[in-house]
Amino acid sequence: MYVDVKSTGEAHASSGDGRYAGTKLSQSRSIPAWDDVAGDLDLRTSCFESHATIITEDDDADHVFRIRSGQVMLYRLLSDGRRQIVDLLAAGDFFGMSTTGSYDCSAEAIGAVVVDTIRQSCAPASDGLQAHLNRCLVQRVEALHSHAALLGRKSAHERVSTFIMRFVNGRGQVGCPGPKSGDAAVVVLRMTRQEIADYLGLTIETVSRVLSDMKRKGVIAIEKNDRIHIGSVCRLCKLTGVH
Amino acid sequence: MYVDVKSTGEAHASSGDGRYAGTKLSQSRSIPAWDDVAGDLDLRTSCFESHATIITEDDDADHVFRIRSGQVMLYRLLSDGRRQIVDLLAAGDFFGMSTTGSYDCSAEAIGAVVVDTIRQSCAPASDGLQAHLNRCLVQRVEALHSHAALLGRKSAHERVSTFIMRFVNGRGQVGCPGPKSGDAAVVVLRMTRQEIADYLGLTIETVSRVLSDMKRKGVIAIEKNDRIHIGSVCRLCKLTGVH
DNA sequence: CGTTGGATTGACAAATATCAATCATGGTGG
DNA sequence: CCACCATGATTGATATTTGTCAATCCAACG
């Protein structure tokens, strides 16, 4: 009714899943359906293929974007080329908001992406958009807090474990449903080792070594470089540093 | 006129300074003055002394807070006690918003702090509050992106330099006004070495060593542990990794 | 069947953490 | 007023983690 995810395309197993499930924020009840909001907004819809750049850091912040389907990564570059992927976004998420007049980071499509494009200039007019934006922004802030804790305080093993757990259906952030053993899972990584490394603040070699180590210890098995088989989700979860 | 910082208490040299200066976001023009918004909100005002805990991670997210004066740090704890300070807030900033029903991190006063307390339940009603929240949230997201880049990709020297630059009036984020040499400055650190370390994702010893190293090289001089004299802001700025 | 780009592995180097003294500094009580 | 204490900061020696550089490896594709 007041949640729009279902109507905006498939939910990727890899990120958007269950994002709004269990939301208790009182505000939720008053947020209108996105489709109703969108009607007043003079949207354009754009498609991007894998690895296409959607926005570039420091460009004029002309538009705000809302993801219809697919995943988007936001990244910052240091002057010498070091890259930090600062956030991973999925269907329903917004990006491109700015307080400075230019984008604070670049956005690149992970796989094919469809976005709604909203002109910055007509954004303030819509209270419905404000409500959707604010919910998304609070979610982003929460995710960025988690990510700061990961980047600042977690070991390489904990970072990689956390990253994999992120894609295990429903788990990860919300808290395990308890240690029921033997719960296996398969997740598909849609990012290259380089992208994973740039997200986790590590090098490609360290990511590779940690994955190999987890293979050796039987925590995971890797098929075709991007399918991770998890023997026991609980066991993996214990490696994340959260519990 | 439509910016409220001036009316809500002294601007600390250490953080809130010039936060809204130069904002080009078209939305700004339509944001009502905070005092006008506040009138409808049934606010309570609370004071906290230095190091007081204002909210605790995982507690019920009953209230949203707006800082009238002073600084607040937000932090996450890992189960084994590792702490990451995820954000530093100043006058005009909001915290305590949640999508889960509980706070995602703890908040502690840095020095004396005065906050306006807004009941979560009456927050959605106010469009003016939504507009203020929106601006603050976008700012927080931008700051958290910067911080992720720092934590994920910068060396200890770059982190400490960036941290000090943050408190140099006006500079830091926006971009240097050019290399005019001989521009000295003094900043006062209102945080202990432990807090700085927990913010920068380092240990107290590393922070101390980096500061000593910068002293040895003549980049800074330290007086009474918390006053940093900067010989050339430009020189310091070049150490941040941004340029 | 060779080529190519991403991934893995190994040897080694560099950065940062850890553990343990020692050093200020400010406050307190004699 | 001064010695003592407590707390935070600094420094040193060493360990650990992660990065760097270089050599394969592997799978997809022409």
Side-chain angles (χ1 to χ4, degrees):
Chain A
M1 190 58 182
Y2 41 85
V3 167
D4 51 295
V5 168
K6 294 293 186 289
S7 65
T8 55
E10 93 276 30
H12 280 262
S14 39
S15 180
D17 259 354
R19 231 32 181 325
Y20 294 130
T23 289
K24 292 178 220 153
L25 182 67
S26 51
Q27 291 180 238
S28 303
R29 300 180 212 288
S30 61
I31 298 185
W34 173 249
D35 288 339
D36 294 341
V37 173
D40 304 329
L41 279 176
D42 182 29
L43 296 181
R44 214 169 318 169
T45 299
S46 317
C47 302
F48 294 88
E49 56 189 14
S50 195
H51 294 112
T53 296
I54 305 175
I55 62 176
T56 303
E57 192 175 338
D58 293 330
D59 277 3
D60 286 344
D62 301 322
H63 298 89
V64 170
F65 301 85
R66 181 178 182 280
I67 302 173
R68 273 187 177 279
S69 66
Q71 292 176 85
V72 170
M73 62 184 191
L74 303 182
Y75 63 88
R76 285 274 185 100
L77 289 175
L78 299 189
S79 54
D80 61 359
R82 281 174 286 178
R83 178 175 75 160
Q84 178 63 45
I85 297 176
V86 296
D87 208 359
L88 297 177
L89 305 177
D93 288 332
F94 293 83
F95 62 95
M97 297 78 84
S98 168
T99 64
T100 63
S102 49
Y103 297 125
D104 79 309
C105 55
S106 302
E108 185 179 312
I110 301 176
V113 165
V114 181
V115 296
D116 285 334
T117 301
I118 306 155
R119 296 181 65 85
Q120 174 79 258
S121 54
C122 67
S126 166
D127 288 340
L129 176 60
Q130 287 288 314
H132 275 268
L133 273 176
N134 277 359
R135 182 170 61 184
C136 175
L137 285 165
V138 174
Q139 271 182 0
R140 291 347 298 154
V141 166
E142 289 170 343
L144 288 165
H145 287 171
S146 297
H147 202 220
L150 177 144
L151 293 171
R153 289 303 179 203
K154 288 191 183 180
S155 71
H157 272 81
E158 291 170 335
R159 293 183 202 200
V160 173
S161 305
T162 305
F163 180 74
I164 298 174
M165 279 301 297
R166 180 193 167 102
F167 300 117
V168 177
N169 181 14
R171 312 285 277 279
Q173 309 294 53
V174 198
C176 286
K180 64 171 174 190
S181 64
D183 53 340
V186 180
V187 304
V188 180
L189 302 183
R190 287 185 165 73
M191 296 162 68
T192 65
R193 296 289 187 274
Q194 185 64 67
E195 287 163 350
I196 296 170
D198 285 348
Y199 180 61
L200 298 179
L202 299 169
T203 60
I204 191 173
E205 293 95 336
T206 299
V207 170
S208 189
R209 270 185 250 274
V210 169
L211 287 172
S212 297
D213 195 54
M214 292 170 81
K215 268 194 291 190
R216 218 170 297 125
K217 289 175 176 154
V219 180
I220 59 172
I222 300 181
E223 180 193 341
K224 289 219 305 167
N225 267 351
D226 67 346
R227 299 182 66 83
I228 309 274
H229 295 256
I230 305 164
S232 160
V233 173
C234 273
R235 186 168 169 211
L236 180 63
C237 198
K238 292 204 183 76
L239 302 175
T240 62
V242 175
H243 307 294
Chain B
M1 190 56 183
Y2 42 86
V3 166
D4 51 296
V5 168
K6 295 291 189 286
S7 64
T8 56
E10 94 274 28
H12 280 262
S14 38
S15 181
D17 260 354
R19 247 354 199 341
Y20 294 128
T23 289
K24 292 178 221 154
L25 181 68
S26 51
Q27 292 179 236
S28 302
R29 298 180 214 290
S30 61
I31 297 186
W34 173 248
D35 288 339
D36 296 342
V37 172
D40 303 330
L41 279 175
D42 183 28
L43 296 181
R44 215 169 317 168
T45 299
S46 319
C47 302
F48 295 87
E49 58 189 13
S50 195
H51 295 113
T53 297
I54 304 175
I55 62 177
T56 303
E57 192 176 338
D58 293 330
D59 277 3
D60 285 344
D62 301 322
H63 298 89
V64 170
F65 301 84
R66 180 178 183 279
I67 303 173
R68 272 188 178 279
S69 67
Q71 290 177 87
V72 171
M73 62 183 191
L74 303 182
Y75 63 89
R76 285 273 187 100
L77 289 175
L78 299 187
S79 54
D80 62 358
R82 281 173 288 177
R83 179 174 74 161
Q84 178 63 45
I85 296 176
V86 296
D87 208 0
L88 297 178
L89 306 177
D93 289 332
F94 294 82
F95 62 95
M97 297 77 84
S98 168
T99 64
T100 62
S102 49
Y103 296 126
D104 79 308
C105 56
S106 302
E108 185 178 314
I110 301 175
V113 165
V114 182
V115 297
D116 285 335
T117 301
I118 306 156
R119 297 181 65 86
Q120 174 80 255
S121 53
C122 68
S126 165
D127 288 341
L129 175 60
Q130 290 291 315
H132 274 268
L133 275 175
N134 186 269
R135 182 170 62 185
C136 174
L137 285 165
V138 174
Q139 271 182 0
R140 289 350 295 155
V141 166
E142 290 170 343
L144 288 165
H145 287 171
S146 297
H147 202 220
L150 177 144
L151 294 171
R153 290 302 178 206
K154 289 192 182 178
S155 71
H157 272 82
E158 290 171 335
R159 294 183 201 200
V160 173
S161 304
T162 305
F163 180 74
I164 298 174
M165 278 302 296
R166 179 193 168 101
F167 300 117
V168 177
N169 183 14
R171 311 287 275 279
Q173 308 294 52
V174 199
C176 284
K180 63 169 175 187
S181 63
D183 52 341
V186 180
V187 304
V188 179
L189 302 183
R190 288 186 165 72
M191 296 162 69
T192 66
R193 296 289 187 272
Q194 184 64 66
E195 287 163 351
I196 296 170
D198 285 349
Y199 180 62
L200 298 179
L202 300 169
T203 60
I204 191 173
E205 293 95 335
T206 299
V207 171
S208 188
R209 270 186 251 273
V210 169
L211 286 172
S212 296
D213 195 55
M214 293 170 80
K215 266 193 293 190
R216 218 169 297 122
K217 289 174 176 156
V219 179
I220 59 171
I222 299 182
E223 179 193 342
K224 287 219 305 166
N225 268 350
D226 68 347
R227 299 181 68 85
I228 310 274
H229 295 256
I230 305 164
S232 160
V233 173
C234 272
R235 186 168 169 210
L236 180 63
C237 198
K238 292 204 182 77
L239 301 176
T240 62
V242 176
H243 308 293

